[in-house]
Amino acid sequence: MKTKFASKLFSTAAILLFIVSAASNCGYNTIQEEDEAVLASWAEVLNQYQRRADLIPNLVNTVKGYAAQEEKVLTEVTRARAGVGSIQADEKTLNNPELFKKYAQAQSQMTSALSRLLVVAENYPQLKSNENFRDLQAQLEGTENRITVARNRYIQAVQKYNGTVRKFPSNLTAKIFGYGTKPSFTVENEKEISKPPEVKF
């Protein structure tokens, strides 16, 4: 009877050891860690985009004071900011590729509108020499750099996470627990970027 009990105990211990070993190699904990890294880097991207959005009204008002006749560009910037604000971006955005793409496109339009605004400012020497404008421009440039860094960190975190949820055997764990790949930023108009710029004299 003791031998039967010892054999049953040994079998139970072996099964438990197998389950623990399998669980530690299934990738669940890795998926959790990498998912958290993606969420943290996404939060930083949102934070930097919000910082840029907060600067825009002051920038537009400063330019308007010197270049009110550039109403089209000022309206574009204001409209682009409203477009960005109309999209509620949060961590749920990462599970909705269409919403993610829409948000990325809205941010791209914002970047483009701001670029046009800064080009307009070049035509107004008094505006360029205005201390408030220079300060806002410096803050905007710093924010754009932070956005680039935050997006790069996000892209790296997503690349690592997506690799994990697609590799065997962690892909099985990902499917069981409902983890899929996450969207990443891409370069829009890749064909346009690959073309050399036209130089006209």
Side-chain angles (χ1 to χ4, degrees):
M1 187 155 175
K2 283 184 181 179
T3 310
K4 208 174 190 183
F5 178 74
S7 176
K8 196 172 184 180
L9 186 63
F10 179 75
S11 296
T12 305
I15 290 169
L16 284 173
L17 186 63
F18 174 76
I19 290 170
V20 169
S21 175
S24 66
N25 292 324
C26 72
Y28 182 80
N29 289 338
T30 303
I31 292 170
Q32 297 306 304
E33 288 168 7
E34 291 177 6
D35 186 48
E36 285 301 317
V38 169
L39 293 176
S41 57
W42 176 243
E44 184 58 21
V45 168
L46 294 178
N47 182 37
Q48 296 308 327
Y49 276 137
Q50 184 59 52
R51 178 185 166 92
R52 178 171 75 172
D54 292 344
L55 285 172
I56 290 168
N58 290 335
L59 187 65
V60 167
N61 287 333
T62 302
V63 172
K64 195 184 286 185
Y66 287 86
Q69 62 272 28
E70 302 289 352
E71 192 175 325
K72 183 182 176 190
V73 175
L74 295 169
T75 303
E76 277 180 35
V77 172
T78 305
R79 197 172 288 146
R81 183 177 185 265
V84 166
S86 70
I87 301 168
Q88 290 297 323
D90 55 21
E91 63 183 51
K92 292 176 188 166
T93 309
L94 300 179
N95 298 321
N96 185 337
E98 286 180 31
L99 183 59
F100 183 91
K101 185 177 180 183
K102 189 176 173 184
Y103 182 73
Q105 286 173 338
Q107 290 295 348
S108 179
Q109 288 171 350
M110 182 76 260
T111 301
S112 181
L114 281 172
S115 295
R116 286 191 291 281
L117 180 68
L118 294 176
V119 167
V120 161
E122 291 295 315
N123 297 325
Y124 296 89
Q126 286 180 315
L127 172 60
K128 280 171 52 179
S129 65
N130 176 281
E131 191 176 326
N132 191 30
F133 176 76
R134 283 190 318 224
D135 181 48
L136 287 166
Q137 189 176 18
Q139 287 184 54
L140 185 61
E141 287 169 2
T143 300
E144 292 296 337
N145 288 337
R146 287 185 185 98
I147 288 170
T148 301
V149 170
R151 280 176 52 135
N152 187 39
R153 286 182 183 148
Y154 172 79
I155 289 166
Q156 289 173 359
V158 167
Q159 181 183 13
K160 190 174 180 185
Y161 168 85
N162 284 350
T164 298
V165 298
R166 293 172 65 197
K167 275 191 291 193
F168 182 82
S170 56
N171 66 334
L172 300 175
T173 304
K175 283 182 183 173
I176 290 169
F177 290 99
Y179 288 96
T181 57
K182 299 206 184 284
S184 191
F185 291 103
T186 56
V187 176
E188 290 184 26
N189 304 323
E190 288 180 36
K191 290 179 184 175
E192 293 297 317
I193 288 171
S194 62
K195 288 181 189 173
E198 251 184 75
V199 179
K200 292 181 180 177
F201 294 99

